[in-house]
Amino acid sequence: GPSDDTLVKMGALQRTLMIQQNQKWRLMTCPWLHVGVIHLSLDLLSTIFIGIHLEQDFGSTRTAMIYLFSAFLGSVASAAFVHNIPAVCSSGALFGLLGGALSGLIRNWQIYTFKYRALAALAFVSITNFGLGLLPHVDNFSSIGGLLSGFLLGFILLFNPQLLHTERKKGLFVIKNSVKLRQKLDKPTQRIIALIFFSIILSGGLYVVLRGVNASKHCSWCSYINCVPTKMWRCNDKTTHM
């Protein structure tokens, strides 16, 4: 993968640049960076696998909204815990889709078959990508932020699946034969509560980042969520090369 210097030049998160030099624009660039071919390939394959099924059920617009908002909230979560090791946050968008797929499955539970197969697939993709986030530079806090964002946005946006004239019998989510094409699945109260929580989390995260608060100082064990030290790499505040 690229060196630390290259990641920094391309827009990765780094505490000294974010806080001391006020380069908040890195919140917008870090979600599009990867630390190497393996990270890029796994991220793209997982995104395509989950994204296609969400687009089939709920359309491109709602899927794109979850993807982009989760990418941003993921970078905000990463910035709250960021160290001086350059961090990329591309997993935030992917985990946003995973969270959206999970909440979409939960809120529309009664219309799907093979629910547990779908849950197992989501769990496998999540665990695999979260494990990759234990390496240096790949930020797991962005994954957590993206997952939470996608989960809440799923309750806000993923209602009334796009039911076809013939029930779909293939894919991750299989629609039951008994579903009426114009069935109303919207739950306004649930959507409002999810919107309130999403707004609070986004506003609180931005406040922490803009004030330059280092959340890792208040959670000594949180560093192990993001990186597990081994003989091959370090997990301290000094820059490393992979």
Side-chain angles (χ1 to χ4, degrees):
S3 65
D4 290 359
D5 291 339
T6 301
L7 289 174
V8 170
K9 290 178 181 178
M10 295 302 295
L13 285 178
Q14 193 176 34
R15 170 155 293 278
T16 54
L17 298 177
M18 281 283 297
I19 306 304
Q20 298 177 11
Q21 300 187 29
N22 199 32
Q23 295 183 2
K24 299 300 190 295
W25 53 266
R26 292 179 179 273
L27 292 172
M28 307 299 295
T29 56
C30 66
W32 312 107
L33 300 178
H34 296 79
V35 299
V37 175
I38 295 177
H39 183 212
L40 174 63
S41 301
L42 184 59
D43 191 74
L44 286 178
L45 289 173
S46 301
T47 299
I48 292 171
F49 174 71
I50 300 299
I52 284 177
H53 295 294
L54 282 178
E55 284 190 299
Q56 286 177 340
D57 278 1
F58 303 103
S60 300
T61 300
R62 287 186 280 184
T63 302
M65 290 177 66
I66 292 176
Y67 185 88
L68 295 174
F69 275 107
S70 298
F72 180 70
L73 187 55
S75 66
V76 170
S78 177
F81 291 89
V82 70
H83 293 285
N84 287 328
I85 298 176
V88 302
C89 308
S90 55
S91 297
L94 166 61
F95 274 81
L97 296 182
L98 289 166
L102 177 60
S103 56
L105 180 63
I106 292 173
R107 73 169 298 158
N108 303 305
W109 186 262
Q110 65 270 30
I111 76 167
Y112 293 116
T113 57
F114 305 115
K115 305 175 183 70
Y116 297 104
R117 183 183 70 179
L119 287 174
L122 295 177
F124 175 77
V125 175
S126 300
I127 292 171
T128 301
N129 284 274
F130 194 84
L132 187 64
L134 296 177
L135 299 173
H137 301 302
V138 184
D139 196 281
N140 263 343
F141 292 111
S142 66
S143 301
I144 295 173
L147 182 68
L148 181 59
S149 171
F151 186 75
L152 292 174
L153 289 173
F155 282 107
I156 298 170
L157 299 173
L158 302 185
F159 60 95
N160 290 347
Q162 298 180 147
L163 304 178
L164 305 178
H165 293 291
T166 57
E167 294 84 359
R168 198 174 71 246
K169 301 181 185 297
K170 296 180 180 181
L172 184 62
F173 303 132
V174 181
I175 298 174
K176 288 181 177 179
N177 294 330
S178 60
V179 176
K180 296 180 180 179
L181 296 180
R182 294 185 179 181
Q183 182 179 5
K184 296 294 183 180
L185 297 172
D186 191 12
K187 300 174 183 178
T189 302
Q190 194 177 76
R191 296 177 69 192
I192 293 172
I193 293 174
L195 179 60
I196 291 173
F197 273 103
F198 177 78
S199 301
I200 292 173
I201 292 172
L202 179 59
S203 301
L206 285 173
Y207 175 82
V208 169
V209 172
L210 295 177
R211 290 293 301 270
V213 177
N214 186 358
S216 60
K217 290 184 177 180
H218 305 283
C219 181
S220 58
W221 56 267
C222 285
S223 60
Y224 294 103
I225 296 176
N226 198 39
C227 182
V228 176
T230 69
K231 295 180 179 179
M232 298 176 62
W233 60 75
R234 298 170 297 173
C235 296
N236 52 28
D237 265 357
K238 297 180 180 179
T239 57
T240 60
H241 293 272
M242 295 183 66

